[in-house]
């Protein structure tokens, strides 16, 4: 089992590599190459010799994830695993977790307030509010339950005042180019709607 609980604790006076070496020994891993492997996986090569106290929040988070993954666990528990990461880093961690699941069959539990990110990776989602389980749903069910709406962007006051004639006006009257798209709820909106429908308040 591997885990990271929000704050990625490490020995601040030691380097990234030294921290990982300690965890390698604590995990009883004989293969020393695993340190190089996880440093490469989390893109920490340029920081391997840097003391942890001098790392940015994002790289400290990468180190925390590296410690959780170094022994290739079958069960991984992650609390806010992408804290402090830039958009590229978030994508890299997402792909790493998907690779871990795909290649080793590991089970990953993620607790996060970044619901949009969760919706991109989770196969099963549990919505918890005020300590109570409000909803359990899998990814395919979620896709069906997210509300969708049709959005039509136009550049004409006349068309706006006569919506029933919009299509005819656009096609026949030469109105400026429009954007027609289907929009759907994101997981955050679904989460809030589910809580409301269950009779729960939003709280603090």
């Amino acid at each position: 089992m591997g885990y990271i609980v929000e704050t990625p604790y490490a020995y601040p006076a030691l380097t990234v590599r030294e921290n990982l070496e300690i965890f390698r020994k604590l995990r009883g891993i004989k293969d020393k190459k695993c340190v190089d492997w996880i440093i490469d996986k989390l893109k920490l090569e340029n920081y391997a010799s840097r003391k942890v106290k001098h790392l940015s929040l994002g790289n400290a988070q990468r180190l925390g994830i590296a410690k959780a993954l170094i022994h290739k666990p079958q069960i991984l528990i992650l609390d806010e695993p992408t804290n402090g990461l830039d958009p590229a880093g978030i994508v890299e961690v997402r792909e790493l977790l998907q690779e871990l699941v795909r290649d080793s069959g590991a089970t990953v539990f993620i607790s996060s307030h970044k619901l949009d990110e969760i919706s991109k990776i989770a196969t099963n989602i549990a919505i918890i509010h005020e300590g109570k389980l409000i909803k359990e749903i899998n990814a395919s069910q979620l896709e069906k339950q997210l509300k969708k709406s049709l959005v039509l962007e136009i550049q004409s006051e006349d068309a706006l005042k006569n919506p029933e004639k919009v299509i005819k006006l656009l096609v026949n009257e030469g109105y400026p180019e429009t954007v027609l798209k289907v929009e759907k709820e994101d997981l955050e909106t679904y989460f809030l709607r589910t809580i409301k429908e269950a009779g729960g308040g939003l709280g603090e």
Side-chain angles (χ1 to χ4, degrees), residues 139-184:
S140 60
Q141 291 173 327
L142 175 65
E143 179 63 26
K144 293 177 182 178
Q145 291 193 23
L146 293 178
K147 288 183 176 180
K148 301 176 178 66
S149 59
L150 187 64
V151 177
L152 180 63
E153 296 182 11
I154 58 177
Q155 298 176 355
S156 168
E157 287 295 325
D158 184 42
L160 286 172
K161 294 177 181 177
N162 298 278
E164 73 283 358
K165 299 180 180 179
V166 167
I167 298 301
K168 182 179 179 180
L169 289 171
L170 291 174
V171 174
N172 298 328
E173 302 298 328
Y175 278 87
E177 186 174 343
T178 65
V179 175
L180 183 65
K181 60 183 177 180
V182 175
E183 288 189 345
K184 65 180 179 182

Side-chain angles (χ1 to χ4, degrees), residues 65-84:
I65 295 172
K67 291 189 297 184
L69 292 177
I70 192 170
H71 58 301
K72 299 179 180 179
Q74 286 300 298
I75 297 177
L76 186 60
I77 300 174
L78 303 175
D79 181 27
E80 303 290 358
T82 56
N83 268 1

Side-chain angles (χ1 to χ4, degrees), residues 100-117:
L100 178 68
V101 171
R102 182 178 64 250
D103 295 346
S104 68
T107 299
V108 181
F109 293 92
I110 301 177
S111 172
S112 180
H113 291 89
K114 297 180 179 179
L115 302 184
D116 182 57
E117 185 59 30

Side-chain angles (χ1 to χ4, degrees), residues 26-44:
L26 287 174
R27 291 292 187 181
I29 305 172
K30 296 181 179 180
D31 184 5
K32 295 182 179 180
K33 293 181 180 179
C34 72
V35 173
D36 290 323
W37 168 77
I38 199 64
I39 284 176
D40 177 66
K41 279 291 183 183
L42 272 298
K43 299 187 183 302
L44 288 167

